[in-house]
PDB file of all heavy atoms in Angstrom:
ATOM      1  N   ILE A 473      78.527 132.032  57.981  1.00  0.00           N
ATOM      2  CA  ILE A 473      78.473 132.437  56.578  1.00  0.00           C
ATOM      3  C   ILE A 473      77.276 133.347  56.303  1.00  0.00           C
ATOM      4  O   ILE A 473      77.356 134.230  55.457  1.00  0.00           O
ATOM      5  CB  ILE A 473      78.455 131.185  55.656  1.00  0.00           C
ATOM      6  CG1 ILE A 473      79.825 130.501  55.721  1.00  0.00           C
ATOM      7  CG2 ILE A 473      78.110 131.552  54.221  1.00  0.00           C
ATOM      8  CD1 ILE A 473      79.843 129.113  55.076  1.00  0.00           C
ATOM      9  N   TRP A 474      76.190 133.155  57.039  1.00  0.00           N
ATOM     10  CA  TRP A 474      75.009 134.009  56.847  1.00  0.00           C
ATOM     11  C   TRP A 474      75.345 135.470  57.107  1.00  0.00           C
ATOM     12  O   TRP A 474      74.742 136.355  56.525  1.00  0.00           O
ATOM     13  CB  TRP A 474      73.859 133.603  57.768  1.00  0.00           C
ATOM     14  CG  TRP A 474      73.364 132.196  57.617  1.00  0.00           C
ATOM     15  CD1 TRP A 474      73.540 131.363  56.549  1.00  0.00           C
ATOM     16  CD2 TRP A 474      72.586 131.472  58.571  1.00  0.00           C
ATOM     17  NE1 TRP A 474      72.920 130.155  56.803  1.00  0.00           N
ATOM     18  CE2 TRP A 474      72.322 130.193  58.025  1.00  0.00           C
ATOM     19  CE3 TRP A 474      72.089 131.777  59.840  1.00  0.00           C
ATOM     20  CZ2 TRP A 474      71.588 129.234  58.704  1.00  0.00           C
ATOM     21  CZ3 TRP A 474      71.358 130.823  60.518  1.00  0.00           C
ATOM     22  CH2 TRP A 474      71.116 129.552  59.949  1.00  0.00           C
ATOM     23  N   ASN A 475      76.286 135.728  58.039  1.00  0.00           N
ATOM     24  CA  ASN A 475      76.692 137.089  58.403  1.00  0.00           C
ATOM     25  C   ASN A 475      75.509 137.959  58.787  1.00  0.00           C
ATOM     26  O   ASN A 475      75.392 139.111  58.367  1.00  0.00           O
ATOM     27  CB  ASN A 475      77.511 137.716  57.263  1.00  0.00           C
ATOM     28  CG  ASN A 475      78.337 138.890  57.755  1.00  0.00           C
ATOM     29  OD1 ASN A 475      78.704 138.949  58.923  1.00  0.00           O
ATOM     30  ND2 ASN A 475      78.611 139.823  56.874  1.00  0.00           N
ATOM     31  N   LYS A 476      74.606 137.392  59.583  1.00  0.00           N
ATOM     32  CA  LYS A 476      73.406 138.084  60.064  1.00  0.00           C
ATOM     33  C   LYS A 476      73.239 137.793  61.551  1.00  0.00           C
ATOM     34  O   LYS A 476      73.685 136.743  62.039  1.00  0.00           O
ATOM     35  CB  LYS A 476      72.150 137.557  59.354  1.00  0.00           C
ATOM     36  CG  LYS A 476      72.158 137.680  57.857  1.00  0.00           C
ATOM     37  CD  LYS A 476      71.581 138.987  57.440  1.00  0.00           C
ATOM     38  CE  LYS A 476      71.436 139.032  55.912  1.00  0.00           C
ATOM     39  NZ  LYS A 476      71.135 140.315  55.444  1.00  0.00           N
ATOM     40  N   PRO A 477      72.567 138.696  62.271  1.00  0.00           N
ATOM     41  CA  PRO A 477      72.241 138.361  63.658  1.00  0.00           C
ATOM     42  C   PRO A 477      71.252 137.200  63.685  1.00  0.00           C
ATOM     43  O   PRO A 477      70.525 136.972  62.719  1.00  0.00           O
ATOM     44  CB  PRO A 477      71.619 139.639  64.221  1.00  0.00           C
ATOM     45  CG  PRO A 477      71.384 140.543  63.068  1.00  0.00           C
ATOM     46  CD  PRO A 477      72.101 140.008  61.877  1.00  0.00           C
ATOM     47  N   VAL A 478      71.233 136.474  64.787  1.00  0.00           N
ATOM     48  CA  VAL A 478      70.375 135.296  64.925  1.00  0.00           C
ATOM     49  C   VAL A 478      69.445 135.471  66.123  1.00  0.00           C
ATOM     50  O   VAL A 478      69.879 135.861  67.207  1.00  0.00           O
ATOM     51  CB  VAL A 478      71.223 134.018  65.105  1.00  0.00           C
ATOM     52  CG1 VAL A 478      70.348 132.819  65.420  1.00  0.00           C
ATOM     53  CG2 VAL A 478      72.056 133.758  63.855  1.00  0.00           C
ATOM     54  N   ILE A 479      68.176 135.173  65.909  1.00  0.00           N
ATOM     55  CA  ILE A 479      67.198 135.110  66.993  1.00  0.00           C
ATOM     56  C   ILE A 479      66.859 133.638  67.165  1.00  0.00           C
ATOM     57  O   ILE A 479      66.297 133.009  66.259  1.00  0.00           O
ATOM     58  CB  ILE A 479      65.921 135.907  66.691  1.00  0.00           C
ATOM     59  CG1 ILE A 479      66.242 137.383  66.418  1.00  0.00           C
ATOM     60  CG2 ILE A 479      64.919 135.776  67.847  1.00  0.00           C
ATOM     61  CD1 ILE A 479      65.054 138.219  65.926  1.00  0.00           C
ATOM     62  N   ALA A 480      67.237 133.065  68.300  1.00  0.00           N
ATOM     63  CA  ALA A 480      66.955 131.661  68.569  1.00  0.00           C
ATOM     64  C   ALA A 480      65.604 131.535  69.273  1.00  0.00           C
ATOM     65  O   ALA A 480      65.251 132.365  70.120  1.00  0.00           O
ATOM     66  CB  ALA A 480      68.053 131.056  69.449  1.00  0.00           C
ATOM     67  N   CYS A 481      64.840 130.504  68.892  1.00  0.00           N
ATOM     68  CA  CYS A 481      63.574 130.251  69.566  1.00  0.00           C
ATOM     69  C   CYS A 481      63.388 128.747  69.728  1.00  0.00           C
ATOM     70  O   CYS A 481      64.063 127.948  69.087  1.00  0.00           O
ATOM     71  CB  CYS A 481      62.394 130.881  68.824  1.00  0.00           C
ATOM     72  SG  CYS A 481      62.041 130.176  67.206  1.00  0.00           S
ATOM     73  N   CYS A 482      62.476 128.378  70.622  1.00  0.00           N
ATOM     74  CA  CYS A 482      62.162 126.956  70.858  1.00  0.00           C
ATOM     75  C   CYS A 482      60.719 126.894  71.352  1.00  0.00           C
ATOM     76  O   CYS A 482      59.890 127.681  70.916  1.00  0.00           O
ATOM     77  CB  CYS A 482      63.158 126.329  71.841  1.00  0.00           C
ATOM     78  SG  CYS A 482      63.140 127.066  73.494  1.00  0.00           S
ATOM     79  N   ALA A 483      60.414 125.980  72.256  1.00  0.00           N
ATOM     80  CA  ALA A 483      59.045 125.894  72.770  1.00  0.00           C
ATOM     81  C   ALA A 483      58.815 126.883  73.907  1.00  0.00           C
ATOM     82  O   ALA A 483      57.829 127.606  73.919  1.00  0.00           O
ATOM     83  CB  ALA A 483      58.751 124.465  73.217  1.00  0.00           C
ATOM     84  N   SER A 484      59.760 126.934  74.857  1.00  0.00           N
ATOM     85  CA  SER A 484      59.546 127.762  76.047  1.00  0.00           C
ATOM     86  C   SER A 484      60.605 128.840  76.257  1.00  0.00           C
ATOM     87  O   SER A 484      60.379 129.772  77.018  1.00  0.00           O
ATOM     88  CB  SER A 484      59.532 126.874  77.293  1.00  0.00           C
ATOM     89  OG  SER A 484      60.826 126.323  77.498  1.00  0.00           O
ATOM     90  N   GLY A 485      61.761 128.692  75.626  1.00  0.00           N
ATOM     91  CA  GLY A 485      62.849 129.645  75.818  1.00  0.00           C
ATOM     92  C   GLY A 485      64.070 129.042  76.487  1.00  0.00           C
ATOM     93  O   GLY A 485      65.123 129.671  76.529  1.00  0.00           O
ATOM     94  N   MET A 486      63.958 127.815  76.987  1.00  0.00           N
ATOM     95  CA  MET A 486      65.097 127.186  77.660  1.00  0.00           C
ATOM     96  C   MET A 486      66.159 126.725  76.655  1.00  0.00           C
ATOM     97  O   MET A 486      67.333 127.066  76.795  1.00  0.00           O
ATOM     98  CB  MET A 486      64.633 125.985  78.508  1.00  0.00           C
ATOM     99  CG  MET A 486      63.729 126.388  79.664  1.00  0.00           C
ATOM    100  SD  MET A 486      64.507 127.534  80.811  1.00  0.00           S
ATOM    101  CE  MET A 486      65.707 126.463  81.551  1.00  0.00           C
ATOM    102  N   ARG A 487      65.771 125.981  75.646  1.00  0.00           N
ATOM    103  CA  ARG A 487      66.739 125.505  74.650  1.00  0.00           C
ATOM    104  C   ARG A 487      67.298 126.668  73.839  1.00  0.00           C
ATOM    105  O   ARG A 487      68.486 126.680  73.496  1.00  0.00           O
ATOM    106  CB  ARG A 487      66.103 124.469  73.721  1.00  0.00           C
ATOM    107  CG  ARG A 487      65.894 123.113  74.384  1.00  0.00           C
ATOM    108  CD  ARG A 487      65.146 122.162  73.505  1.00  0.00           C
ATOM    109  NE  ARG A 487      63.720 122.511  73.493  1.00  0.00           N
ATOM    110  CZ  ARG A 487      62.795 121.848  72.820  1.00  0.00           C
ATOM    111  NH1 ARG A 487      63.121 120.823  72.054  1.00  0.00           N
ATOM    112  NH2 ARG A 487      61.535 122.207  72.889  1.00  0.00           N
ATOM    113  N   SER A 488      66.454 127.662  73.541  1.00  0.00           N
ATOM    114  CA  SER A 488      66.944 128.803  72.758  1.00  0.00           C
ATOM    115  C   SER A 488      67.941 129.635  73.573  1.00  0.00           C
ATOM    116  O   SER A 488      68.845 130.232  72.998  1.00  0.00           O
ATOM    117  CB  SER A 488      65.790 129.650  72.224  1.00  0.00           C
ATOM    118  OG  SER A 488      64.928 130.052  73.249  1.00  0.00           O
ATOM    119  N   ALA A 489      67.795 129.657  74.885  1.00  0.00           N
ATOM    120  CA  ALA A 489      68.775 130.357  75.728  1.00  0.00           C
ATOM    121  C   ALA A 489      70.125 129.657  75.606  1.00  0.00           C
ATOM    122  O   ALA A 489      71.165 130.307  75.457  1.00  0.00           O
ATOM    123  CB  ALA A 489      68.319 130.395  77.179  1.00  0.00           C
ATOM    124  N   SER A 490      70.119 128.332  75.632  1.00  0.00           N
ATOM    125  CA  SER A 490      71.369 127.564  75.468  1.00  0.00           C
ATOM    126  C   SER A 490      71.965 127.813  74.096  1.00  0.00           C
ATOM    127  O   SER A 490      73.174 128.031  73.966  1.00  0.00           O
ATOM    128  CB  SER A 490      71.101 126.067  75.635  1.00  0.00           C
ATOM    129  OG  SER A 490      70.698 125.781  76.946  1.00  0.00           O
ATOM    130  N   ALA A 491      71.116 127.784  73.068  1.00  0.00           N
ATOM    131  CA  ALA A 491      71.591 127.994  71.700  1.00  0.00           C
ATOM    132  C   ALA A 491      72.199 129.383  71.538  1.00  0.00           C
ATOM    133  O   ALA A 491      73.270 129.540  70.947  1.00  0.00           O
ATOM    134  CB  ALA A 491      70.448 127.806  70.701  1.00  0.00           C
ATOM    135  N   ALA A 492      71.533 130.404  72.079  1.00  0.00           N
ATOM    136  CA  ALA A 492      72.053 131.775  71.978  1.00  0.00           C
ATOM    137  C   ALA A 492      73.408 131.875  72.665  1.00  0.00           C
ATOM    138  O   ALA A 492      74.330 132.524  72.153  1.00  0.00           O
ATOM    139  CB  ALA A 492      71.062 132.772  72.572  1.00  0.00           C
TER     140      ALA A 492
END
Side-chain angles (χ1 to χ4, degrees):
I473 291 169
W474 301 341
N475 199 27
K476 302 270 187 191
V478 173
I479 302 172
C481 67
C482 62
S484 67
M486 295 301 290
R487 286 174 284 181
S488 54
S490 295

